[in-house]
Amino acid sequence: METISVFFIGAVFGSFVNATAYRTVRNKNFIFERSNCPVCGKQLSFLDMVPVVSYLLKKGKCRYCQNRIARRYLFTEILGGINGTVCWHMAEVLEAKILFFFILNFLLFMALIDIEIMEIKDIYQLLLLILAAVTISIEKWSINNLIGALIISLPLLVLAAVTESIGGADVKVFFILGMLAKEKGIMVIYLLTIGLASVFALYRLQKGSNRKEEIPLLPFIYLAFLTYKGFEKYLLNCVILWLT
Ligand SMILES: [Zn+2]
């Protein structure tokens, strides 16, 4: 029951993150505007906005105009719910759980923007950096935070400088997450990111898409970080076993 409540609270945040990203990309006001159907413009009532449930009950269609509602609404609500559930079950103290929840949702926000315009503003990275720094301060800073920050981001920075295979924003996010997850954690996150992105690239290739097309990396970094936080102990044990 507790997990279900946490999932739904998370899903409400996921829905908010989705709307914020959608309106940010389109330069719309996102604080004072109420939610409406993107096709017919009809303002949505409370019943239309119960995360996940509304979408499934209405079979992904608008109640007023019967047009299909994009699947990103359902996906972001589910991901928001998973963000909440993962953070709730973390071993960290309550303050850290809440901060990790904000970090995950902020990464989801950046991922949604990356999918649409592939351009991440510096201010978002700065906010992520501050969130990460505050989270680490709750535990204790150590040399491992610095090693984690550099171990992946430094080689990637070199790659970004001499080739165009990776974006500057991705390098900065690896720096920040490395600081947060320390060296073993960021190696897991990096491998998961590359793994997920490769699977997606193969899937797209198989669907007959242009081979040279760029792939936004932030969605995969977000998913990798979420997976890492969900199975942190298990994944870190695997790394230790593998290294020894
Ligand atoms: Zn509609």
Side-chain angles (χ1 to χ4, degrees), residues 174 177 181 185-194 221 224-225 228:
F174 272 116
L177 295 184
I186 196 62
M187 284 195 276
V188 174
I189 294 165
Y190 179 69
L191 288 176
L192 285 172
T193 304
I194 299 302
I221 302 178
F225 187 61
Y228 169 70

Side-chain angles (χ1 to χ4, degrees), residues 26-124:
R26 287 156 190 81
N27 283 321
K28 283 186 181 176
N29 188 333
F30 54 83
I31 297 171
F32 300 108
E33 205 175 272
R34 273 194 57 188
S35 296
N36 40 25
C37 165
V39 181
C40 67
K42 179 108 180 150
Q43 231 173 50
L44 301 180
S45 71
F46 176 73
L47 276 177
D48 300 314
M49 292 198 288
V50 182
V52 186
V53 178
S54 290
Y55 189 97
L56 295 178
L57 282 181
K58 292 183 291 179
K59 297 196 178 79
K61 284 179 184 163
C62 169
R63 195 147 64 97
Y64 309 100
C65 66
Q66 297 302 316
N67 270 300
R68 270 213 152 294
I69 300 168
R71 257 176 293 182
R72 77 177 260 177
Y73 288 83
L74 179 65
F75 284 137
T76 46
E77 284 166 6
I78 292 175
L79 286 170
I82 298 174
N83 286 348
T85 314
V86 162
C87 293
W88 187 252
H89 290 288
M90 273 177 194
E92 277 90 347
V93 293
L94 185 65
E95 292 90 328
K97 285 181 187 188
I98 294 169
L99 281 161
F100 269 112
F101 180 64
F102 278 110
I103 289 172
L104 277 169
N105 280 312
F106 202 67
L107 280 172
L108 175 59
F109 167 77
M110 297 203 317
L112 290 171
I113 289 185
D114 200 22
I115 291 172
E116 284 205 86
I117 54 174
M118 280 191 149
E119 198 185 290
I120 302 297
K121 286 190 184 136
D122 286 339
I123 182 79
Y124 302 150

Side-chain angles (χ1 to χ4, degrees), residues 222-234:
Y222 157 72
L223 288 175
F225 187 61
L226 180 62
T227 311
Y228 169 70
K229 287 314 285 183
F231 302 97
E232 191 170 358
K233 257 200 192 136
Y234 173 76

